[in-house]
């Protein structure tokens, strides 16, 4: 047996016993962008048993400045992030099982993916998904680690079900932030700092050293040299619908509506049907070729039509690039796909 993990085992809070625990643990990472790529790489190198990686997007040239798993070739091929990530992670540590899911994780998918999971890491870009993760965590008693960053600012918070407040306790509605990567940009060190906090907390949870877990929200601004910790114990609400005495898990309630979302960091609208519809990309390529230039790989199809670019995935999801108008995007989707 090689000594791959010897330096990690020499760290006394982990040791050989902790490393054995790490090797038995399964982690769900929601999002394979900047935070997800960094967390996935760190935990793959740390030697977890299995990583379940979920992401709805593909590698774009704008990602390469900060999303450390991806290459120019991935962007040229427009590979889905989870496919590119899995390829790279398998090269880093073949002992770790990497499961990649090209999808926008909804309620039904989340309740299937949570089986056997020991920890959830948030690497998303929207609070709708975070609140879904929060309810999933509370319902199935699985810890999760919230993280976000923009510009030179970052924030992270670890939530242990049954111990302190959940995200819904102090965010009882989805906040509407004006600042995104698309509007103010982001620097790679802010990503790396949030990832460092998230993966450090992850290792504590994976070795079951819960006394060491940070119970405060951490925020920082690397450019302004600011670093703040906020205690959250008083935010706990007994009537919280997610973690209170009579939880109803409102963010796990199913909806039959067509969902649209403007993606963070892109002049793009995602359209998600109310149900997954298996798309034959080869057949769709022939059908859409009359509307513009079409490119296809095994995972997605791209149509350039006038000033709009549509990317269609095998599950029926579509990204409409070049607009933030959800009504316009839906109209284009229905006109082309029916």
């Amino acid at each position: 047996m090689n000594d791959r993990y010897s330096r990690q085992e020499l760290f006394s809070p982990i040791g050989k016993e902790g490393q054995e625990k790490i090797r038995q643990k399964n982690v769900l990472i929601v999002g394979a962008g900047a935070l997800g790529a960094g967390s996935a790489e760190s935990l793959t190198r740390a030697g977890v048993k299995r990583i379940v990686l979920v992401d709805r997007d593909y590698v774009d040239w704008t990602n390469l400045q900060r999303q450390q798993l991806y290459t120019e070739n991935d962007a040229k091929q427009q590979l889905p992030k989870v496919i590119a990530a899995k390829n790279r992670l398998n090269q880093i540590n073949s002992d770790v099982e990497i499961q990649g899911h090209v999808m926008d994780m909804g309620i039904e998918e989340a309740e299937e993916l949570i089986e056997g999971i020991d920890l959830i890491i948030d690497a998303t870009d929207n609070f709708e998904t975070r609140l879904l993760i929060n309810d999933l965590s509370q319902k199935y008693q699985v810890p999760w680690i919230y993280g976000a960053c923009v510009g030179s600012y970052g924030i992270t918070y670890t939530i242990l079900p049954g111990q302190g407040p959940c995200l819904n306790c102090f965010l009882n509605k989805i906040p509407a932030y004006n600042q995104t990567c698309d509007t103010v940009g982001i620097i790679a060190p802010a990503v790396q700092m949030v990832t460092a906090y998230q993966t450090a907390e992850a290792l504590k949870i994976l070795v079951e050293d819960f006394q060491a877990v940070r119970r405060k929200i951490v925020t920082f601004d690397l450019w302004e040299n600011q670093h703040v910790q906020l205690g959250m114990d008083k935010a706990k609400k007994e009537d919280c619908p997610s973690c209170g005495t009579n939880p109803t898990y409102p963010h796990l309630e199913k909806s039959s509506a067509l969902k649209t979302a403007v993606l963070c960091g892109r002049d793009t609208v995602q359209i998600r049907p109310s149900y997954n519809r298996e798309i034959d990309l080869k057949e769709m390529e022939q059908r859409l070729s009359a509307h513009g230039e079409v490119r296809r790989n095994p995972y997605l199809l791209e149509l350039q039509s006038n000033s709009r670019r549509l990317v269609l995935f095998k599950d029926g999801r579509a990204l409409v690039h070049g607009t933030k108008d959800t009504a316009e995007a839906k109209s284009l989707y229905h006109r082309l796909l029916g």
Side-chain angles (χ1 to χ4, degrees), residues 191-299:
V191 174
Q192 294 157 359
M193 181 67 82
V194 173
T195 300
Y197 276 120
Q198 285 187 298
T199 53
E201 295 302 295
L203 289 174
K204 296 173 187 178
I205 292 170
L206 296 177
V207 302
E208 302 170 15
D209 186 1
F210 294 102
Q211 293 300 316
V213 171
R214 187 189 299 271
R215 306 304 173 101
K216 298 180 178 181
I217 283 183
V218 175
T219 69
F220 63 82
D221 190 317
L222 294 177
W223 208 264
E224 299 296 332
N225 304 308
Q226 297 173 353
H227 188 279
V228 178
Q229 297 185 61
L230 300 172
M232 299 304 297
D233 288 345
K234 293 182 179 179
K236 172 69 176 175
K237 296 179 179 178
E238 294 305 318
D239 62 349
C240 173
S242 298
C243 72
T245 52
N246 295 295
T248 58
Y249 313 117
H251 301 285
L252 294 179
E253 294 177 0
K254 296 177 175 60
S255 170
S256 61
L258 180 78
K259 296 181 66 175
T260 60
V262 179
L263 299 193
C264 171
R266 308 270 283 282
D267 191 18
T268 300
V269 174
Q270 175 184 258
I271 298 176
R272 174 179 173 166
S274 57
Y275 60 94
N276 289 344
R277 46 185 292 193
E278 186 68 23
I279 299 292
D280 184 326
L281 294 179
K282 185 177 180 179
E283 178 183 323
M284 190 61 68
E285 179 182 19
Q286 296 174 343
R287 175 178 166 185
L288 294 180
S289 60
H291 297 277
E293 181 182 352
V294 179
R295 291 198 305 162
R296 175 172 59 89
N297 66 31
Y299 311 100

Side-chain angles (χ1 to χ4, degrees), residues 107-230:
I107 295 164
E108 292 182 358
E109 295 90 348
E111 299 214 71
E112 291 176 2
L113 293 171
I114 194 65
E115 184 176 354
I117 294 296
D118 300 290
L119 171 68
I120 307 169
I121 293 183
D122 161 41
T124 67
D125 58 9
N126 67 90
F127 270 88
E128 180 181 13
T129 304
R130 289 187 178 112
L131 288 168
L132 187 160
I133 292 171
N134 184 72
D135 277 11
L136 191 72
S137 161
Q138 297 299 321
K139 181 176 179 179
Y140 293 96
Q141 296 292 290
V142 176
W144 76 284
I145 306 172
Y146 160 60
C149 51
V150 66
S152 57
Y153 171 84
I155 182 171
T156 181
Y157 180 54
T158 302
I159 296 174
L160 303 176
Q163 301 182 38
C166 75
L167 186 67
N168 207 17
C169 285
F170 46 91
L171 290 177
N172 55 13
K173 62 180 181 179
I174 300 174
Y177 290 141
N178 293 323
Q179 292 189 335
T180 68
C181 300
D182 191 31
T183 58
V184 301
I186 188 168
I187 58 174
V191 174
Q192 294 157 359
M193 181 67 82
V194 173
T195 300
Y197 276 120
Q198 285 187 298
T199 53
E201 295 302 295
L203 289 174
K204 296 173 187 178
I205 292 170
L206 296 177
V207 302
E208 302 170 15
D209 186 1
F210 294 102
Q211 293 300 316
V213 171
R214 187 189 299 271
R215 306 304 173 101
K216 298 180 178 181
I217 283 183
V218 175
T219 69
F220 63 82
D221 190 317
L222 294 177
W223 208 264
E224 299 296 332
N225 304 308
Q226 297 173 353
H227 188 279
V228 178
Q229 297 185 61
L230 300 172

